[in-house]
Amino acid sequence: MQEFMATSERRAELYWWFSTLFAAELSDAQIAEYDTYDVRSFLKSLSTLDPMREAVAELNEAIARLLVREERATALAADFNALFLSPKAVQPYESAHGDNTARSRMEQRLSRLAIDVSEKYQQPVDHLAIELDLMGNLIIRAAEATTAALREKWLGEQEGLLHGHLLAWFEPFEQACRAADPFGFYGASARLLGVFLKMDANYLSLVKPAKSAD
């Protein structure tokens, strides 16, 4: 059980970190954190996982360029706006990638779980950052479950969100993001997230070999 708790905390931390990357522009203070021992150690730990090694290396290269970039916060904010907010943006919404029921299904899911995201996010509920944030919360609910049945329920909710939403649309978003990001920070971040989502799906299949909940 201790191993499950530790893994859950690690998984939630990763989902929330990725959510922050795609939710809004990073401030200069947030960018500066990428030059700290904690973040370097965090990324180094990810690179010990074989499937993540190359993606982490690419992100580290992008971070190195970012840290010495002139007016880095302003420049990265311009990248963010061009990628995700401009008229020709790579839409970070599930419904923009072929599923016109995604938004209503996410609204129903959040309502069923009694989760209100309106105070934290201004975006529609099928935004990538919201789906990632929700995964983090579901992981913690499973970790804090007081019975095996509750833990099973929250693991099922994770499977439903991962397979019914995130994995269903993330690959075309990742490809479009990488193609449209000449500087490479967000493209590299999307690549690493794509690897992580597939690894996490495999983890869930081992921890809970059951049908997805939706």
Side-chain angles (χ1 to χ4, degrees), residues 22-181:
F22 292 99
E25 302 94 327
L26 297 180
S27 67
D28 193 62
Q30 288 174 308
I31 293 171
E33 290 178 5
Y34 285 88
D35 198 25
T36 63
Y37 174 81
D38 286 346
V39 173
R40 289 195 298 268
S41 296
F42 166 69
L43 292 172
K44 185 176 180 180
S45 69
L46 294 184
S47 69
T48 63
L49 303 171
D50 285 342
M52 286 190 167
R53 185 170 293 118
E54 290 185 2
V56 171
E58 181 180 334
L59 180 57
N60 275 328
E61 290 174 2
I63 290 170
R65 294 194 303 271
L66 174 61
L67 291 173
V68 297
R69 196 176 186 184
E70 186 174 353
E71 298 292 335
R72 61 192 185 187
T74 301
L76 191 64
D79 292 348
F80 184 94
N81 281 270
L83 278 169
F84 306 126
L85 301 177
S86 71
K88 296 182 179 180
V90 177
Q91 298 289 339
Y93 306 101
E94 182 177 358
S95 55
H97 295 271
D99 186 352
N100 56 15
T101 70
R103 195 160 297 172
S104 62
R105 290 190 298 111
M106 276 296 295
E107 288 171 347
Q108 291 167 13
R109 180 179 292 276
L110 290 166
S111 176
R112 174 167 54 78
L113 296 172
I115 294 175
D116 182 5
V117 300
S118 61
E119 289 189 8
K120 186 174 182 180
Y121 295 100
Q122 302 305 311
Q123 302 96 329
V125 295
D126 63 329
H127 191 284
L128 175 60
I130 295 176
E131 294 188 0
L132 294 171
D133 193 334
L134 178 57
M135 272 296 291
N137 283 288
L138 295 176
I139 290 166
I140 295 303
R141 290 192 183 194
E144 295 178 346
T146 55
T147 67
L150 271 176
R151 185 166 61 252
E152 192 83 356
K153 170 189 174 181
W154 294 119
L155 286 169
E157 291 288 353
Q158 292 171 47
E159 286 185 325
L161 181 57
L162 187 55
H163 291 282
H165 290 274
L166 281 161
L167 284 173
W169 70 280
F170 186 77
E171 187 171 348
F173 167 81
E174 176 191 345
Q175 292 173 351
C177 185
R178 288 176 63 76
D181 181 18

